[in-house]
């Protein structure tokens, strides 16, 4: 949703981060999480702090993460 608020297409964000568009899709669909390096770049591209991005990740865990947390 942050990407859309910034009027960025998945392709645009992928280009800014120098990753394939399917990488952005996997993040948005909750299939994967970015590495710390890419999370930092993602936060910069979305004009938010890494802290805010981390909080969003905790609040919206990947389905398998929910199982591990109990």
């Amino acid at each position: 949703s942050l990407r859309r608020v910034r009027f960025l297409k998945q392709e645009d964000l992928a280009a800014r981060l120098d990753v394939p568009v399917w990488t952005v899709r996997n993040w948005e669909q909750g299939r994967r999480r970015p590495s710390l390096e890419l999370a930092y770049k993602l936060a910069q591209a979305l004009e938010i702090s890494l802290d805010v991005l981390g909080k969003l990740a905790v609040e919206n865990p990947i389905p398998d993460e929910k199982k591990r947390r109990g």
Side-chain angles (χ1 to χ4, degrees):
S1 63
L2 287 173
R3 176 184 55 77
R4 289 188 292 271
V5 168
R6 301 290 191 264
F7 301 103
L8 290 171
K9 296 179 183 177
Q10 287 180 334
E11 295 82 0
D12 299 331
L13 184 57
R16 284 187 185 191
L17 301 174
D18 196 28
V19 297
V21 71
W22 54 264
T23 298
V24 173
R25 288 186 185 130
N26 282 336
W27 295 339
E28 290 185 359
Q29 293 171 0
R31 292 184 184 151
R32 302 251 187 231
R33 294 274 190 219
S35 66
L36 183 57
E37 178 183 350
L38 285 175
Y40 178 76
K41 290 179 181 181
L42 178 59
Q44 287 183 318
L46 296 174
E47 299 175 0
I48 60 173
S49 70
L50 190 53
D51 289 344
V52 170
L53 187 63
K55 183 177 179 185
L56 291 171
V58 169
E59 292 174 352
N60 301 291
I62 294 173
D64 285 348
E65 288 177 346
K66 288 180 188 177
K67 292 177 187 174
R68 285 188 289 232
R69 291 181 185 176

